[in-house]
């Protein structure tokens, strides 16, 4: 879920991988990567894990890619990065109700924290994922906010705009939950701005839908319509966005 997107310094392979990834073509992106180095194996595993989170499918392919990355890891940082992906896959399976792997997710992210040195770029992603676990599985918004803020500061320091788009979004979600509408609107708007600048198409529809939660009509409807258009364009990905874009049934009670 991290990565800078396309920049002037990117090599052609990474540019091609990014373009496919950003358009929800994770398997095609993974197929471009060589299989003979720990770095590429980790990247392939990350792509397949991200596909699971967005599409709720491809679990076996993700497991296979992850096992290869774990087998090829040689340094503590590589082992830690593989453990971080292991934790994310277990988190995604639990979140989507495939199987309860919450304990495995906690253990894997804890192992990653022990292996990844402080200040390493991947530490920001690890902190973000620990925030996801706290927010959505442990149901501890205070712990989630602290983890997101650590990830946000580290992503800023390491110039990782894509990760910043996620930390902005999730910090804004917590603010919205607390009734801090102005703070939430700002965070969602920043997340959307970054994703549009990067061309992260698969993440733009969720950003539009989230911003719509903080805007009055008719702007809210315009944002949701644009989100729905992108959602259809990508074949119904991310799958979980369908629930947010479905209008409430007339006469139905709302929370």
């Amino acid at each position: 879920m991290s990565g800078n997107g396309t920049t002037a310094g990117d090599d052609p392979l990474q540019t091609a991988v990014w373009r496919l990834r950003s358009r929800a073509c994770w398997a095609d992106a993974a197929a471009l990567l060589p299989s003979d180095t720990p770095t590429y194996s980790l990247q392939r595993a990350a792509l397949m894990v991200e596909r699971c989170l967005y599409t709720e499918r491809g679990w076996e392919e993700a497991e296979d890619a992850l096992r290869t990355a774990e087998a090829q890891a040689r340094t503590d940082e590589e082992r830690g990065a593989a453990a971080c992906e292991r934790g994310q896959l277990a988190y995604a399976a639990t979140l989507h109700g495939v199987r309860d792997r919450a304990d495995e997710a906690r253990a894997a992210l804890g192992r990653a924290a022990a292996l990844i040195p402080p200040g390493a770029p991947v530490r920001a992603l690890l902190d973000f994922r620990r925030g996801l676990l706290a927010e959505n599985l442990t149901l501890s918004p205070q712990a989630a906010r602290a983890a997101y803020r650590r990830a946000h500061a580290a992503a800023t320091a390491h110039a990782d705009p894509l990760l910043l788009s996620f930390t902005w979004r999730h910090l804004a979600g917590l603010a919205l939950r607390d009734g801090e509408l102005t703070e939430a609107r700002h965070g969602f708007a920043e997340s959307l701005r970054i994703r549009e600048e990067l061309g992260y198409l698969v993440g733009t529809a969720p950003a539009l839908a989230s911003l719509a939660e903080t805007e009055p009509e008719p702007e809210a409807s315009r944002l949701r319509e644009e989100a729905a258009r992108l959602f259809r364009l990508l074949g119904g990905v991310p799958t979980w966005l369908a629930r947010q874009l479905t209008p409430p049934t007339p006469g139905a009670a709302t929370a």
Side-chain angles (χ1 to χ4, degrees), residues 130-215:
R130 296 178 94 176
L132 292 177
L133 208 68
E135 180 181 2
N136 298 313
L137 300 189
T138 309
L139 305 181
S140 176
Q142 288 185 334
R145 184 178 287 106
Y148 292 150
R149 283 175 174 166
R150 290 195 303 273
H152 191 85
T156 300
H158 292 291
D160 188 342
L162 182 58
L163 184 55
L164 275 174
S165 82
F166 282 95
T167 55
W168 273 121
R169 173 173 156 77
H170 283 266
L171 284 167
L174 293 176
L176 184 61
R177 180 185 298 182
D178 291 341
E180 300 292 340
L181 190 63
T182 300
E183 181 180 344
R185 183 183 297 116
H186 174 70
F188 288 140
E190 283 297 295
S191 179
L192 175 61
R193 177 187 62 79
I194 292 170
R195 291 178 180 195
E196 288 181 334
E197 287 177 357
L198 293 175
Y200 189 54
L201 195 61
V202 74
T204 299
L208 287 163
S210 292
L211 183 58
E213 297 296 317
T214 68
E215 295 286 358

Side-chain angles (χ1 to χ4, degrees), residues 6 20 31 36 48 54 77 93-94 101 110 113 151 155 157 169 173 205 228 240 248:
T6 55
L20 288 166
D36 55 349
M48 303 313 287
Y54 277 76
E77 192 165 338
T94 306
R101 297 173 61 179
R169 173 173 156 77
W240 40 262

Side-chain angles (χ1 to χ4, degrees), residues 80-137:
C84 188
E85 294 302 330
R86 170 67 63 188
Q88 181 71 353
L89 183 61
Y91 163 78
T94 306
L95 187 72
H96 288 313
V98 176
R99 183 158 59 90
D100 186 351
R101 297 173 61 179
D103 288 343
E104 180 187 351
R106 292 187 192 95
L109 295 184
R111 186 164 64 253
L115 289 167
I116 298 171
V122 74
R123 190 86 190 193
L125 180 61
L126 172 60
D127 280 332
F128 173 71
R129 288 175 171 175
R130 296 178 94 176
L132 292 177
L133 208 68
E135 180 181 2
N136 298 313
L137 300 189

Side-chain angles (χ1 to χ4, degrees), residues 229-254:
R229 185 187 70 81
L230 288 175
F231 179 72
R232 293 190 297 270
L233 179 67
L234 293 173
V237 177
T239 53
W240 40 262
L241 188 59
R243 295 185 292 274
Q244 193 172 346
L245 293 175
T246 301
T249 302
T254 57

